[in-house]
Amino acid sequence: MASFDEIQQYCDTVCGQIRWKKAKPLIEKELKDHLYDQRDAYRAADMSETAAIHSAVQQMGDAVAVGAALDGTHRPKPQWALLGLTGVLLLAGQFCSAVFGGAAEPVGFFMAAAALLGCYFLDFSLLARHTLPLYFAVLLGSCFGLLTGPQVNGTAWLSLGGFGFSMSYLAIVFPLLFAMLIYSLRGHGLAGVLLCGLGYLPLMFILIQISFVSGMLLFTLSALALLCFALARGWFGCNKAAGFALVLVPTAVVLGVGAFILLGHPYFSAQLALLADPYAERNGSGFLLCLVRDLLAHAQMYGTGSASAETAASLAALDHSSPDYLLTLMIYRFGWVALFVVLGIFALFIGLAGYTLTKQKSMLGSLISVSVLSVLFLQCAFYFATNLGYGLFSAFSLPFLSSGNAALVLNAGLTGLMLSVFRSGACFYDQMPGQSSSPLFSYKNGALIIRIKN
């Protein structure tokens, strides 16, 4: 027993030098695994149990020095730059609410800030322990909302107490749910890929019932990006070519059939004709689209645009449609420079987040980050297209800038979760089913190797 106490004492001394509590259990486990492996190697060389354990501990070196080396690299990585950019966007959203909406929305701002910081300090690895229960809980909750929720302007709403929100915003959450499904099926080969496809169907069915085409498109593209990302990384453990064929061939068929059906539908064929020539229906269904293009045609590089009195008088129609046309209003009121500033901030945010994503080693952290980043990117893309006069479908909100508490809180919470991965993802090591992770300690050619970087 005293010999085993020597291993525990050594591990306690090493972990005593490490200040990040989250890193201690992982380091202690890998340290013990290595010490026991070395003990077994010495025992195979006819050493006694006590001598084998003592030699293994001595081989590791000074416990304080080893702990200090690990402490230097196992620390949280605060995401000040991305947090700062998110804060700038949230404050800019309050400014836009005050200018174009008549008053700021402090309640939504503080709710979003709380969601951002709450998820930022959340242990994202908790999601790994409850992937399938989380999937089915959200699925059943969504079905319950569809069956019991009221209809507002043709869209289902979910009411919880005195709080309600449009169920179209489920499209923002579903990619994260799908990422968790992929994580739970990692290492299951082509069967795992097929099960992911089957898991996509009920979520898509809910969005179809909500009748929000932009949401269907956002979820589909995000799910496709997640599946392709996981296949490219080899996380399903199957032949990549077969996996991509299993994903892309049915996707191409479904998209082709869907496009054929949509083009044959009177509403969507009319939308395409309207997009090509909105002025043919200037006083009818093309009114808003014509107004957007007229305002942009008369926008200045700096300052307020010079549209005709009749066009300028119609600005109230866009104010009424807010937050759908916030960017159009910004361009006309402040000039094209407003577009370049907003575009630059989002490009910097997405670029910096994408770069940090490439540094992630864990499957769970990478899948969470891809799901959140794809949702933010697609929302921006749809919104920019609509506000520049070329949106085929209704847009989502512009993340952090558009008014609307539900979208603001959901986007802030998802962003906080992604930043939580960036902050502490280096301390999370997942593995394929049946495989061991890369060891923290190893012994090769007579030298002890300590992996202090993930």
Side-chain angles (χ1 to χ4, degrees), residues 59-247:
Q59 182 193 74
M60 290 295 297
D62 181 67
V64 174
V66 171
L70 292 171
D71 176 65
T73 55
H74 286 75
R75 294 184 184 180
K77 298 177 181 178
Q79 299 298 307
W80 299 121
L82 288 169
L83 276 174
L85 286 172
T86 306
V88 168
L89 288 169
L90 286 172
L91 289 172
Q94 290 301 294
F95 171 77
C96 292
S97 294
V99 172
F100 301 109
E105 298 179 347
V107 174
F109 173 80
F110 287 114
M111 288 174 62
L116 173 69
L117 294 177
C119 291
Y120 176 68
F121 289 108
L122 179 72
D123 182 3
F124 73 90
S125 64
L126 292 173
L127 296 176
R129 306 169 200 171
H130 310 287
T131 51
L132 290 180
L134 181 64
Y135 174 87
F136 286 109
V138 175
L139 182 61
L140 292 175
S142 301
C143 293
F144 176 79
L146 278 178
L147 294 173
T148 63
Q151 293 282 325
V152 179
N153 295 326
T155 302
W157 277 61
L158 182 63
S159 296
L160 299 173
F163 181 76
F165 64 92
S166 171
M167 291 189 67
S168 61
Y169 290 119
L170 287 174
I172 299 177
V173 179
F174 281 177
L176 175 62
L177 206 62
F178 191 72
M180 296 300 95
L181 181 64
I182 292 176
Y183 184 76
S184 68
L185 293 170
R186 68 196 187 281
H188 285 74
L190 292 177
V193 179
L194 181 60
L195 288 172
C196 285
L198 294 176
Y200 159 88
L201 294 177
L203 301 178
M204 187 61 176
F205 176 78
I206 290 172
L207 294 177
I208 291 173
Q209 299 308 304
I210 297 171
S211 300
F212 190 38
V213 178
S214 295
M216 302 177 210
L217 189 58
L218 182 146
F219 175 52
T220 299
L221 292 176
S222 297
L224 184 61
L226 284 163
L227 271 176
C228 290
F229 182 80
L231 282 168
R233 293 291 183 96
W235 291 340
F236 283 106
C238 64
N239 179 275
K240 291 184 180 180
F244 276 110
L246 186 58
V247 171

Side-chain angles (χ1 to χ4, degrees), residues 443-454:
Y443 189 73
K444 185 177 181 180
N445 298 328
L448 174 67
I449 300 171
I450 303 177
R451 177 172 55 81
I452 60 176
K453 289 187 177 181
N454 184 25

Side-chain angles (χ1 to χ4, degrees), residues 266-421:
Y267 172 78
F268 289 104
S269 58
Q271 285 295 105
L272 285 174
L274 195 65
L275 192 65
D277 183 18
Y279 294 95
E281 295 288 338
R282 186 183 187 99
N283 296 320
S285 56
F287 172 74
L288 278 179
L289 192 52
C290 289
L291 180 57
V292 168
R293 293 189 182 183
D294 287 343
L295 289 174
L296 295 178
H298 293 89
Q300 307 293 322
M301 181 57 68
Y302 303 97
T304 304
S306 58
S308 66
E310 180 183 356
T311 300
S314 300
L315 276 174
L318 288 189
D319 286 329
H320 179 72
S321 300
S322 183
D324 291 343
Y325 293 97
L326 174 62
L327 191 59
T328 302
L329 292 171
M330 290 176 65
I331 294 172
Y332 184 75
R333 179 73 64 87
F334 303 115
W336 284 101
V337 65
L339 171 67
F340 301 141
V341 170
V342 172
L343 184 60
I345 294 175
F346 275 110
L348 180 61
F349 180 93
I350 292 174
L352 184 57
Y355 173 77
T356 310
L357 166 62
T358 63
K359 303 297 182 181
Q360 300 304 306
K361 303 299 182 182
S362 76
M363 298 177 228
L364 178 64
S366 297
L367 287 169
I368 290 174
S369 303
V370 170
S371 69
V372 174
L373 203 54
S374 64
V375 164
L376 294 176
F377 173 79
L378 289 171
Q379 284 183 92
C380 289
F382 293 166
Y383 196 91
F384 274 73
T386 299
N387 278 253
L388 293 177
Y390 293 95
L392 183 59
F393 308 113
S394 57
F396 275 96
S397 64
L398 185 60
F400 315 119
L401 285 178
S402 298
S403 59
N405 291 342
L408 201 61
V409 171
L410 286 174
N411 280 315
L414 288 173
T415 300
L417 187 61
M418 178 179 69
L419 299 188
S420 173
V421 170

